[in-house]
Amino acid sequence: MFQGQMARRSIPILKQLFTSPSSHLTPTRSVTYMPRPGDGAPRPVTLIPGDAIGPLVTGAVEQVMQAMHAPVYFERYEVHGDMKRVPQEVIDSIKKNKVCLKGGLATPMGGGVSSLNVQLRKELDLYASLVNCFNLPGLPTRHENVDIVVIRENTEGEYSGLEHEVVPGVVESLKVITKFCSERIAKYAFEYAYLNNRKKVTAVHKANIMKLADGLFLESCREVATKYPGIKYNEIIVDNCCMQLVSKPEQFDVMVTPNLYGNLVANTAAGIAGGTGVMPGGNVGADHAVFEQGASAGNVGNEKLVAQKTANPVALLLSSAMMLRHLQFPSFADRLETAVKRVILDGKYRTKDLGGTSTTQEVVDAVIAALD
Amino acid sequence: MATHLLRRRVSQILSQAIPCPTSPLSVGRAFSSATAPIRATLFPGDGIGPEIAESVKQVFRGAEVPIEWEEHYVGDQIDPRTQSFLTWESLESVRKNRVGLKGPMATPIGKGHRSLNLTLRKELNLYANVRPCYSLPGYKTRYDDVNLITIRENTEGEYSGLEHQVVRGVVESLKIITRQASLRVAEYAFHYAKTHGRERVSAIHKANIMQKTDGLFLKCCREVAEKYPEITYEEVVIDNCCMMLVKNPALFDVLVMPNLYGDIISDLCAGLIGGLGLTPSCNIGEGGIALAEAVHGSAPDIAGKVNLQIYL
């Protein structure tokens, strides 16, 4: 009888051990990463807090980095969306540090000021924008098995900014597609797929209507595809693509797109996987990398979010994990990612866009507590 | 569903005094005193088109809808008057009858002439494409509360077809936005919202990047919005719109947009309710022409086993 009581008392403990939610999120190390001597020296990273919720979420990243004692220190520069240009000192700093973390810059609508996000990308020739959309365990969404990386050409296409008024009441906008840019984005997409063990690359286009422009883009993609015979390649028209994304997103793996379609596809994919508040992303070029919230970098939230301090820091935290990997600090990146995923899985601290009621600071504190 | 739109249009033509009926039965009763049946043009189209057209005719006969169909087929030779396979007679018939139903038409590839759909659009000046998207009770998708209409400008924008190669390896494509076309589609959108009791119209744009073009579109929408103070008007950037649509489609009511965004968003909404096989669509032209159509293609591979929902 005594044994029976012991058995009965141990059942809840055993249950907890076997069903502990964070047990499968403990990173296990099999083979260690061997750094070079001196790799641990702190690296400078340019930090642009940005507008509206920008300072809130970049502040979150700074706090978490400090808690982890990560070997990065931030050089902070104030840039706001209504400035005419990005200040030269900021550009110089990014060129020196090669890595930047940024909050969103809001562009005033139709105000004659060109978007600073786009300007920064063009100046530094950050030609690839990458958004990783995946289901976070513990976050309920309508779609399962989503793991899509959208690689978007970042410098030309519809965002060339070449518009003029022909006669009053008739406006033309030029969409420019060049072989040079299409080829390098296709190369980046296939290289990414190769290095990250991805099986399929899908090119998104509208070449049935824009035969020359998107036709040129497709030609470049096809040429590069022949050099990677191990990776499957297919093409899909953008409207069909959006429809498939909302019904069967598991068929997509890596998607490569020109500028405008990439914006839409990235936002749609981010929406089905949980929202732009949680998807990480960045812009990369041959020499520099700028990490920011995955999709919709120009969306800096409204005054209510700022006033109530309920912006979602998860996207920028995961983007900074990407940044840590880029800087070759994989162990810190893993710890940060695991902590964030644990917090999402627990479900106690979630901001409003994920259906919870926490403030940014509460989520940050939870992430710091979940760090091991 | 396309014929539901068609019936509404037909009743409008018959008598302006009778308000838009909301049920097919009342349409039937309103018509029972009509003197002559309505003539409508029917383009059965290719592939699965003829089967679907046959089924539509059967259903209409069964429901005793007083429509007399004038069938026109796509010829196999180019008519010099229209520069395409559609004959002048077909187009004249639509202009005369002012209502039509079009099946899917396959454009032969590589023949060097313009597509059939494009011909219809340009010749009949079909400036607005209306696509209502309702969650169908009984067909479960991941989204249950979709109830929105997308209205897309159909003639200009990114689909002007004006492209050229500047030098080898550099291609330019022109996106044209005009005040006239934007005003026209905005007027139609607000008029539609008003007559169908819709409360909100959202203009979708990317004016933070394409400031002059989408800026002009937005200016026109704002002007028209002032004439309809009872309808809420808002502007949404397209990337936010995409995200909101996949997270919570109930946020939107009537969407009005330029050509390319309209194409993508309307297909996205079709995906939300279950696919192209379930989506009706209607093209509105100058002078009150309405050409309802199937949005899917001619699907020659499945001719013989076909989904009829969208025609009914």
Side-chain angles (χ1 to χ4, degrees):
Chain A
M1 201 153 80
F2 181 59
Q3 280 168 329
Q5 278 178 356
M6 276 279 285
R8 251 175 283 139
R9 249 184 255 140
S10 58
I11 288 174
I13 302 173
L14 285 173
K15 263 207 202 131
Q16 205 184 30
L17 273 179
F18 284 130
T19 59
S20 148
S22 21
S23 61
H24 66 278
L25 286 181
T26 327
T28 54
R29 206 168 303 134
S30 47
V31 182
T32 190
Y33 158 71
M34 188 172 83
R36 271 199 292 256
D39 270 358
R43 298 279 300 272
V45 170
T46 312
L47 179 70
I48 300 178
D51 295 322
I53 59 170
L56 206 54
V57 292
T58 50
V61 173
E62 280 180 304
Q63 283 180 42
V64 175
M65 289 289 173
Q66 230 172 12
M68 275 201 310
H69 304 292
V72 289
Y73 64 93
F74 292 107
E75 289 176 8
R76 186 186 263 262
Y77 288 94
E78 289 295 327
V79 180
H80 295 286
D82 42 13
M83 290 180 176
K84 275 221 150 350
R85 297 182 41 78
V86 180
Q88 190 55 39
E89 51 177 8
V90 181
I91 308 263
D92 289 336
S93 160
I94 304 182
K95 285 192 174 151
K96 173 174 67 83
N97 296 335
K98 307 239 183 291
V99 177
C100 167
L101 185 68
K102 119 181 198 309
L105 294 170
T107 316
M109 289 293 166
V113 180
S114 68
S115 160
L116 288 186
N117 294 317
V118 177
Q119 236 186 58
L120 199 60
R121 289 171 198 155
K122 287 195 181 155
E123 277 256 10
L124 299 168
D125 200 24
L126 302 168
Y127 62 85
S129 158
L130 197 150
V131 182
N132 188 6
C133 306
F134 53 95
N135 277 127
L136 283 164
L139 189 61
T141 54
R142 289 186 174 100
H143 302 83
E144 307 292 315
N145 280 329
V146 180
D147 190 2
I148 301 176
V149 175
V150 182
I151 296 182
R152 154 193 176 195
E153 206 291 324
N154 226 353
T155 53
E156 56 170 21
E158 296 82 351
Y159 290 25
S160 314
L162 300 160
E163 299 178 295
H164 60 280
E165 187 165 43
V166 183
V167 292
V170 178
V171 185
E172 257 178 24
S173 169
L174 291 174
K175 162 180 168 164
V176 181
I177 300 269
T178 58
K179 186 144 175 71
F180 174 65
C181 292
S182 306
E183 212 173 78
R184 66 182 182 174
I185 191 70
K187 281 196 183 127
Y188 182 78
F190 277 91
E191 200 176 53
Y192 173 89
Y194 168 58
L195 288 172
N196 284 280
N197 198 19
R198 294 272 182 170
K199 307 284 185 291
K200 192 162 81 165
V201 173
T202 308
V204 180
H205 66 95
K206 189 81 188 170
N208 50 345
I209 305 285
M210 287 185 262
K211 302 184 172 72
L212 285 182
D214 287 347
L216 183 56
F217 179 78
L218 281 185
E219 215 180 275
S220 320
C221 290
R222 281 177 203 146
E223 272 172 41
V224 177
T226 55
K227 304 203 179 86
Y228 291 86
I231 299 180
K232 280 200 280 216
Y233 167 72
N234 64 351
E235 298 165 359
I236 188 169
I237 301 186
V238 61
D239 43 13
N240 190 14
C241 171
C242 286
M243 203 161 29
Q244 298 293 328
L245 269 175
V246 296
S247 38
K248 289 201 279 283
E250 54 273 357
Q251 61 182 292
F252 295 112
D253 196 355
V254 177
M255 306 175 81
V256 60
T257 84
N259 213 332
L260 179 67
Y261 312 145
N263 192 0
L264 305 185
V265 169
N267 276 276
T268 311
I272 60 175
T276 52
V278 292
M279 296 303 144
N283 306 286
V284 66
D287 307 309
H288 318 284
V290 172
F291 294 90
E292 56 185 358
Q293 171 185 309
S296 199
N299 177 14
V300 290
N302 50 29
E303 298 92 27
K304 202 164 70 154
L305 272 179
V306 181
Q308 294 177 343
K309 297 197 165 45
T310 50
N312 199 343
V314 174
L316 207 61
L317 284 170
L318 288 175
S319 298
S320 58
M322 276 171 71
M323 178 186 78
L324 287 170
R325 275 204 192 90
H326 183 85
L327 291 168
Q328 293 184 319
F329 300 132
S331 152
F332 287 96
D334 287 340
R335 280 167 62 197
L336 177 50
E337 228 179 79
T338 317
V340 172
K341 285 191 179 160
R342 259 193 214 136
V343 170
I344 299 277
L345 186 59
D346 282 339
K348 280 204 293 273
Y349 296 99
R350 286 188 191 168
T351 49
K352 186 144 170 289
D353 58 331
L354 300 179
T357 49
S358 311
T359 61
T360 311
Q361 192 54 48
E362 284 170 12
V363 178
V364 172
D365 292 335
V367 170
I368 294 179
L371 282 171
D372 55 13
Chain B
M1 272 195 204
T3 51
H4 188 50
L5 287 176
L6 199 58
R7 275 192 213 124
R8 282 213 198 116
R9 193 80 201 99
V10 162
S11 72
Q12 276 171 4
I13 293 171
L14 242 201
S15 58
Q16 304 292 345
I18 299 180
C20 260
T22 48
S23 77
L25 287 177
S26 68
V27 172
R29 255 177 274 135
F31 278 133
S32 53
S33 55
T35 46
I38 309 294
R39 293 184 67 81
T41 314
L42 173 65
F43 293 99
D46 309 309
I48 51 178
E51 300 166 32
I52 301 183
E54 205 31 66
S55 321
V56 169
K57 283 195 279 192
Q58 275 179 11
V59 171
F60 269 47
R61 264 199 301 270
E64 289 174 17
V65 180
I67 286 193
E68 201 179 290
W69 297 107
E70 230 179 82
E71 283 188 29
H72 285 268
Y73 285 90
V74 173
D76 48 5
Q77 279 174 334
I78 298 196
D79 184 340
R81 291 165 296 177
T82 59
Q83 293 301 314
S84 87
F85 290 119
L86 281 170
T87 60
W88 185 256
E89 281 78 31
S90 315
L91 294 175
E92 273 305 306
S93 140
V94 180
R95 285 195 192 107
K96 190 166 46 89
N97 296 336
R98 291 164 79 207
V99 279
L101 183 60
K102 174 178 103 49
M105 290 183 183
T107 307
I109 300 179
K111 294 286 166 50
H113 59 268
R114 43 183 197 173
S115 92
L116 301 168
N117 294 314
L118 196 59
T119 313
L120 271 175
R121 213 172 291 154
K122 288 252 153 84
E123 295 290 330
L124 299 170
N125 218 348
L126 300 173
Y127 63 86
N129 181 312
V130 181
R131 210 183 273 192
C133 296
Y134 308 111
S135 281
L136 290 175
Y139 183 64
K140 187 106 184 61
T141 61
R142 293 186 174 105
Y143 298 88
D144 289 325
D145 49 357
V146 183
N147 184 3
L148 48 88
I149 319 272
T150 60
I151 298 184
R152 155 195 175 190
E153 206 289 322
N154 222 355
T155 57
E156 54 172 26
E158 296 82 349
Y159 292 12
S160 317
L162 298 160
E163 300 181 293
H164 61 280
Q165 185 162 253
V166 182
V167 293
R168 232 176 83 95
V170 179
V171 175
E172 259 179 19
S173 171
L174 290 175
K175 161 180 169 165
I176 315 248
I177 300 272
T178 59
R179 198 175 147 70
Q180 188 213 4
S182 306
L183 274 177
R184 216 166 37 169
V185 75
E187 277 282 359
Y188 184 76
F190 279 90
H191 168 74
Y192 184 98
K194 184 156 175 192
T195 49
H196 289 79
R198 294 276 169 169
E199 289 155 359
R200 239 177 35 240
V201 172
S202 315
I204 313 294
H205 65 98
K206 188 79 187 165
N208 45 350
I209 305 287
M210 288 184 263
Q211 289 166 350
K212 295 203 179 106
T213 36
D214 285 350
L216 178 59
F217 181 78
L218 283 184
K219 241 192 319 201
C220 299
C221 288
R222 277 178 212 145
E223 274 177 30
V224 177
E226 276 164 25
K227 292 193 255 172
Y228 293 81
E230 67 277 6
I231 296 183
T232 330
Y233 168 71
E234 61 177 0
E235 297 169 358
V236 187
V237 180
I238 182 154
D239 40 14
N240 279 346
C241 170
C242 281
M243 207 205 36
M244 285 170 10
L245 268 176
V246 295
K247 285 198 102 181
N248 188 4
L251 288 171
F252 291 106
D253 198 353
V254 177
L255 299 162
V256 61
M257 0 182 208
N259 213 333
L260 175 70
Y261 311 146
D263 193 2
I264 299 176
I265 300 280
S266 56
D267 276 9
L268 202 151
C269 297
L272 294 177
I273 60 167
L276 286 182
L278 298 170
T279 322
S281 158
C282 193
N283 294 306
I284 308 292
E286 291 266 345
I289 297 185
L291 186 65
E293 66 175 355
V295 295
H296 54 74
S298 59
D301 49 335
I302 55 167
K305 5 171 184 142
V306 146
N307 181 346
L308 304 171
Q309 178 62 43
I310 141 184
Y311 277 78
L312 298 177

